[in-house]
Amino acid sequence: MQGKKVYQEQLFNSFRLSDRVPPTNFYRRLKEALNLDFLYDLTRGFYGSSGQKSIDPVVFFKLCLVGYLENIISDRKLIEHCSMRLDILYFIGYDIDEELPWHSTISRTRQLFPEDIFEAVFTKVFTLCVEAGMVSGHTQAIDSAPVKAN
């Protein structure tokens, strides 16, 4: 007898995001390898002492890292992509029913920090990944294609 699946949303769910992301998942391993708490001290001087709370700098830099790793250059596409991926939500510390930051918040926060902050974060993240055994290698390959300048 042929079956037909009918989708029925449940009113209540018993769901834990951490149970849905396998131990071998890249973003789960990255979350375990990276302690980005140093960002609070590094970025404290760029925030005021009054007004609305801004995006957590750890969340911001994790979103930047996801954009780099997933080759996403649009902040709007980045937020859309992250909202659809359970492993990325787990990595950035959001639950499935939490609203992600607006794409414009990401853009404005990116303009807040100077280039040397991004370089310092990249260097530290790279070092943490090497120490965790996530990055290794002895061979370097370069692909080049000479293109006539316009």
Side-chain angles (χ1 to χ4, degrees), residues 40-48:
Y40 296 114
D41 290 333
L42 186 66
T43 60
R44 184 170 285 120
F46 298 99
Y47 293 97

Side-chain angles (χ1 to χ4, degrees), residues 47 52 54-55 60 75 101-113 118:
Y47 293 97
Q52 257 186 339
S54 65
I55 184 174
F60 169 74
D75 293 330
W102 286 41
H103 65 87
S104 59
T105 303
I106 305 300
S107 300
R108 285 193 311 270
T109 305
R110 185 177 286 111
Q111 295 168 2
L112 178 69
F113 302 123
F118 286 95

Side-chain angles (χ1 to χ4, degrees), residues 63-124:
L63 286 169
C64 289
L65 184 59
V66 168
Y68 176 76
L69 293 170
E70 302 283 327
N71 198 25
I72 301 171
I73 58 173
S74 161
D75 293 330
R76 188 181 305 263
K77 294 282 186 195
L78 176 62
I79 295 302
E80 183 181 304
H81 180 78
C82 291
S83 69
M84 299 294 289
R85 294 270 305 269
L86 296 180
D87 58 344
I88 294 174
L89 288 174
Y90 179 74
F91 172 64
I92 63 175
Y94 276 72
D95 211 337
I96 59 170
D97 59 349
E98 278 186 276
E99 195 73 30
L100 289 175
W102 286 41
H103 65 87
S104 59
T105 303
I106 305 300
S107 300
R108 285 193 311 270
T109 305
R110 185 177 286 111
Q111 295 168 2
L112 178 69
F113 302 123
E115 187 177 325
D116 60 325
I117 295 292
F118 286 95
E119 288 179 13
V121 171
F122 175 80
T123 302
K124 180 71 173 175

